[in-house]
Amino acid sequence: MRPFISLQILCVVASTALFVACRSFPQDEVSALNAFKEAIYEDPRLIMSNWNALDTTPCEWAGVYCTSAGDHVFKINISAASLRGFISPDLSRITNLQELILHGNNLIGTIPKELGNLKQLKRLDLGANQLMGPIPPELATISGIMKLNLQSNGLTGTLATGFGNLRYLQELILDRNRLQGTFPASNDLPSNLHGM
């Protein structure tokens, strides 16, 4: 009788630990990724085929990278996958995101201004897509951004003055767009900035 009781206690402890581990991942991040998937209407290479809306964690999803603790998404990298669709503004809810790389797809529409809420972002690469419209001035509020690649799109307009105040910016690639004006440089602009 005694071994049976200890086995029951062990099962309760194990299932409680599993429940806590599953519930610790922010569901807001999972729903933001699902909203991004819904905004993609063509995925010819089936990159997102293992993105299951019922999963409690996206850490095994293709192109999604989680922290070592498995409690947040810190990187999305889906490059050269021929995705066609829009960039969902819901991605801004992944507040720990440090890298968003969607280079070389067929993304259309505008760059969501909500991406400016990703204050941890170090790298944003939306180059070689079919994005249009102005570069949102909200991107200039991501103070720690180091690499920004928006080349080879159909972007128009001028850069907001705030881009001249990005002290950590090391790489800015904007060629092959229809942008006008000059870069709004300031005295704080790093001397090692390249790629403009």
Side-chain angles (χ1 to χ4, degrees):
M1 184 69 130
R2 193 173 197 129
F4 178 72
I5 292 171
S6 26
L7 181 60
Q8 279 184 318
I9 292 171
L10 179 64
C11 287
V12 169
V13 169
S15 66
T16 304
L18 184 62
F19 178 74
V20 169
C22 290
R23 298 290 289 168
S24 67
F25 200 93
Q27 291 308 296
D28 206 34
E29 294 186 20
V30 177
S31 63
L33 288 167
N34 283 317
F36 173 63
K37 182 182 179 182
E38 288 173 14
I40 301 298
Y41 55 82
E42 281 184 27
D43 179 10
R45 298 188 183 174
L46 304 177
I47 299 295
M48 304 170 103
S49 61
N50 75 335
W51 287 37
N52 185 345
L54 300 177
D55 288 346
T56 55
T57 172
C59 296
E60 300 296 320
W61 293 1
V64 176
Y65 301 83
C66 294
T67 57
S68 57
D71 56 352
H72 288 288
V73 173
F74 79 93
K75 178 179 177 181
I76 300 170
N77 185 354
I78 306 175
S79 299
S82 301
L83 296 181
R84 184 175 292 277
F86 300 90
I87 300 173
S88 171
D90 290 285
L91 287 176
S92 65
R93 293 188 286 152
I94 308 175
T95 55
N96 289 278
L97 197 62
Q98 295 178 27
E99 295 186 39
L100 178 56
I101 306 166
L102 301 172
H103 187 96
N105 286 291
N106 295 308
L107 299 173
I108 61 173
T110 59
I111 299 171
K113 66 180 182 180
E114 291 83 357
L115 295 185
N117 295 329
L118 295 171
K119 301 306 181 189
Q120 304 299 316
L121 206 61
K122 305 285 184 240
R123 180 178 180 190
L124 177 61
D125 187 345
L126 305 176
N129 281 287
Q130 299 173 29
L131 299 168
M132 299 173 62
I135 298 173
E138 289 81 2
L139 295 185
T141 66
I142 308 173
S143 59
I145 197 159
M146 300 170 73
K147 296 185 178 184
L148 179 59
N149 182 355
L150 303 175
Q151 72 176 58
S152 301
N153 280 290
L155 301 173
T156 56
T158 60
L159 280 178
T161 55
F163 282 96
N165 298 321
L166 295 174
R167 330 178 16 201
Y168 300 103
L169 192 62
Q170 296 173 3
E171 187 174 279
L172 176 65
I173 306 175
L174 300 174
D175 61 304
R176 287 172 277 176
N177 282 292
R178 292 178 294 187
L179 297 168
Q180 298 176 341
T182 58
F183 184 80
S186 74
N187 293 333
D188 296 330
L189 201 63
S191 58
N192 62 341
L193 180 66
H194 61 89
M196 289 203 306

